[in-house]
């Protein structure tokens, strides 16, 4: 029998927190004790874990006593405020927020890409932005074979990226529109029902949003490619929980769609779904609740004649590979040498 661990989930009542709990259970992570932490508002709620009811506790500076691993998904300001208490108590923090991702002392990890970086941690390990994690799983194996030079990405991001409240807002607005009522915009930047908008996170001085620049900077860090050229447009679409991305990739070396399919078929975390004659290609409804990222519509970029360009469409569950699953996979790597 391997060792087991005291695990805490911070933000346990949130869209990602709930998936973290379920993923720990489904993947049989060796948990000796699970602590569920949220705000005072959630005290009194309980969740089932391996058949046992666990009560939600209020997050306080003392919450981390005896905890070995803490999975955080309660937003950047909570991560920044509680990191010190977590690390001082001796727990390793796996943080889903953007608070520490670009900190040079904090590894930023997609286990299929740079799992070894986990072992460089000094108490905190960051989980990447959801769109970045989903893309990296597909692009990294192609990069390993053909060397990525440039990528242009357009995203189709689900409401789940904005948390449980944003998912509810999509449902409420859709119902309101269907009932002929004025949809209420509360947590998202614009009306999302029967609409889409190119505005996720805040605008930067260079005209990109913060979400778009996360894709640029986090990809460079995860893939250890500080100079790779990336441009991205992030769009929120009226989908509940899986993100899709259209990727235009340029490599140093020529690559054919058949080669790309062969590489991706052997790549962990990827499922090739590419049979257009039978209408088979990635879609958010197919990616929902799946661990693997779906890749399809793989084709040669017709705008170039050198055979070095590919277009790919991907869909991945934002709450799983884009968040909870990746965090639990990081924890699995972390304990792998002790099992
Ligand atoms: P709560 O439900 O008690 O507000 P989402 O991203 O889906 O909106 O989830 C956010 C998560 O972060 C929830 O679990 C939420 O708990 C938690 N959270 C928000 N603010 C705090 C806080 N001040 N202290 C602890 N947890 C918080």
């Amino acid at each position: 029998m391997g060792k087991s661990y005291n695990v805490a989930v911070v933000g346990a009542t949130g869209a990602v927190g709930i998936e973290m709990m379920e993923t720990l259970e489904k993947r049989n992570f060796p948990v000796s004790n699970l602590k569920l932490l949220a705000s005072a508002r959630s005290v009194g709620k309980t969740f089932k874990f391996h058949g046992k009811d666990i009560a939600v506790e209020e997050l306080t500076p003392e919450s981390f006593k005896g905890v070995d691993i803490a999975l955080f998904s309660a937003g950047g300001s909570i991560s920044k405020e509680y990191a010190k208490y977590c690390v001082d108590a001796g727990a390793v923090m796996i943080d889903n927020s953007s608070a520490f991702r670009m900190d040079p002392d904090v590894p930023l990890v997609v286990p299929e890409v740079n799992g070894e970086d986990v072992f460089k941690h000094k108490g905190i390990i960051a989980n990447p932005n959801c769109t970045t994690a989903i893309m990296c799983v597909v692009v990294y194996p192609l990069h390993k074979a053909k060397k990525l030079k440039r990528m242009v990405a357009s995203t189709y991001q689900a409401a789940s990226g904005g948390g449980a409240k944003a998912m509810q807002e999509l449902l409420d607005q859709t119902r309101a529109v269907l009932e002929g009522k004025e949809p209420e915009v509360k947590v998202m930047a614009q009306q999302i029902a029967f609409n889409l908008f190119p505005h996720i996170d805040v605008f930067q001085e260079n005209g990109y949003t913060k979400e778009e620049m996360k894709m640029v900077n986090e990809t460079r860090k995860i893939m250890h490619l500080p100079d790779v050229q990336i441009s991205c447009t992030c769009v929120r679409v009226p989908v509940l929980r899986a993100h899709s991305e259209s990727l235009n990739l340029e490599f140093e070396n020529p690559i054919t769609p058949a080669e790309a399919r062969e590489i991706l078929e052997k790549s962990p975390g990827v499922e090739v779904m590419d049979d257009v004659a039978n209408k088979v290609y990635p879609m958010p409804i197919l990616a929902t609740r799946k661990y693997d990222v779906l890749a399809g519509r793989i084709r040669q970029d017709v705008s170039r004649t050198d055979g070095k360009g590919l277009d790919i469409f991907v869909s991945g569950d934002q709450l799983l590979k884009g968040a909870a699953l990746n965090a639990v996979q990081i924890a699995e790597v972390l304990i792998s040498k002790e099992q």
Side-chain angles (χ1 to χ4, degrees):
M1 263 279 283
K3 201 176 153 192
S4 62
Y5 300 83
N6 292 332
V7 177
V9 175
V10 179
T13 52
V16 174
I18 289 173
E19 297 296 334
M20 283 173 161
M21 243 180 291
E22 285 190 19
T23 307
L24 287 167
E25 181 176 300
K26 273 201 191 133
R27 292 175 73 89
N28 250 317
F29 190 86
V31 177
S32 39
N33 185 56
L34 182 68
K35 200 169 203 178
L36 302 181
L37 300 164
S39 76
R41 295 180 290 272
S42 296
V43 173
K45 286 189 184 163
T46 61
F47 289 90
K48 279 228 183 306
F49 185 70
H50 286 299
K52 243 177 61 187
D53 280 322
I54 302 185
V56 175
E57 297 171 45
E58 182 182 356
L59 173 67
T60 71
E62 284 76 48
S63 296
F64 301 98
K65 208 167 158 243
V67 171
D68 301 307
I69 299 170
L71 305 176
F72 273 66
S73 192
S77 50
I78 297 286
S79 290
K80 280 188 192 141
E81 191 182 338
Y82 285 87
K84 178 178 177 307
Y85 303 117
C86 176
V87 175
D88 285 354
V92 178
M93 172 179 187
I94 300 177
D95 184 28
N96 192 50
S97 82
S98 60
F100 301 105
R101 288 180 191 150
M102 296 314 295
D103 184 327
D105 282 337
V106 174
L108 177 65
V109 177
V110 174
E112 291 87 346
V113 177
N114 63 332
E116 275 299 309
D117 286 353
V118 160
F119 301 107
K120 296 181 191 150
H121 82 84
K122 297 177 180 166
I124 306 175
I125 303 164
N127 207 36
N129 162 265
C130 43
T131 317
T132 309
I134 287 166
M135 179 276 295
C136 280
V137 177
V138 176
V139 173
Y140 182 71
L142 299 173
H143 158 69
K144 258 201 325 198
K146 301 288 174 177
K147 282 203 166 40
L148 181 69
K149 191 173 169 198
R150 182 166 183 264
M151 173 173 76
V152 180
S154 305
T155 74
Y156 308 78
Q157 298 183 220
S160 55
K165 289 193 188 87
M167 294 168 86
Q168 194 54 48
E169 184 152 307
L170 168 59
L171 296 172
D172 292 344
Q173 287 185 359
T174 305
R175 200 170 295 116
V177 174
L178 291 174
E179 289 170 357
K181 295 183 192 146
E182 190 60 34
E184 217 185 318
V185 177
K186 287 188 282 192
V187 294
M188 287 201 237
Q190 303 285 348
Q191 177 182 325
I192 187 64
F194 303 96
N195 191 28
L196 54 81
F197 51 86
H199 177 184
I200 303 181
D201 212 330
V202 294
F203 284 101
Q204 311 285 280
E205 261 180 26
N206 64 1
Y208 284 79
T209 61
K210 210 169 159 189
E211 181 84 353
E212 289 158 354
M213 291 311 294
K214 284 176 196 168
M215 188 80 151
V216 175
N217 296 321
E218 293 184 21
T219 303
R220 289 175 167 170
K221 180 169 175 177
I222 295 162
M223 292 204 197
H224 299 172
L225 287 175
D227 301 319
V228 71
Q229 301 163 324
I230 300 173
S231 182
C232 183
T233 304
C234 290
V235 180
R236 185 76 74 201
V237 296
V239 165
L240 264 182
R241 68 172 273 169
H243 287 356
S244 300
E245 305 173 33
S246 162
L247 307 173
N248 177 259
L249 305 171
E250 179 186 341
F251 296 92
E252 299 280 357
N253 301 297
I255 179 166
T256 65
E259 277 179 294
R261 274 183 214 107
E262 203 185 315
I263 292 166
L264 293 177
E265 261 152 19
K266 291 188 213 131
S267 301
V270 182
E271 180 181 338
V272 176
M273 203 173 255
D274 198 12
D275 177 11
V276 289
N278 290 305
K279 297 200 291 188
V280 174
Y281 32 71
M283 291 191 286
I285 52 170
L286 298 177
T288 292
R289 297 191 190 280
K290 270 211 164 156
Y291 284 164
D292 283 351
V293 175
L294 311 180
R297 296 292 323 277
I298 302 171
R299 60 208 189 275
Q300 201 87 57
D301 174 353
V302 290
S303 73
R304 15 184 348 126
T305 51
D306 58 6
K308 294 180 179 174
L310 275 188
D311 280 292
I312 303 188
F313 193 78
V314 304
S315 296
D317 190 308
Q318 185 271 324
L319 294 173
L320 293 176
K321 189 59 200 172
L325 170 65
N326 198 72
V328 172
Q329 285 176 311
I330 290 174
E332 288 170 351
V333 176
L334 185 67
I335 66 164
S336 58
K337 293 187 179 167
E338 297 167 346
Q339 289 300 296

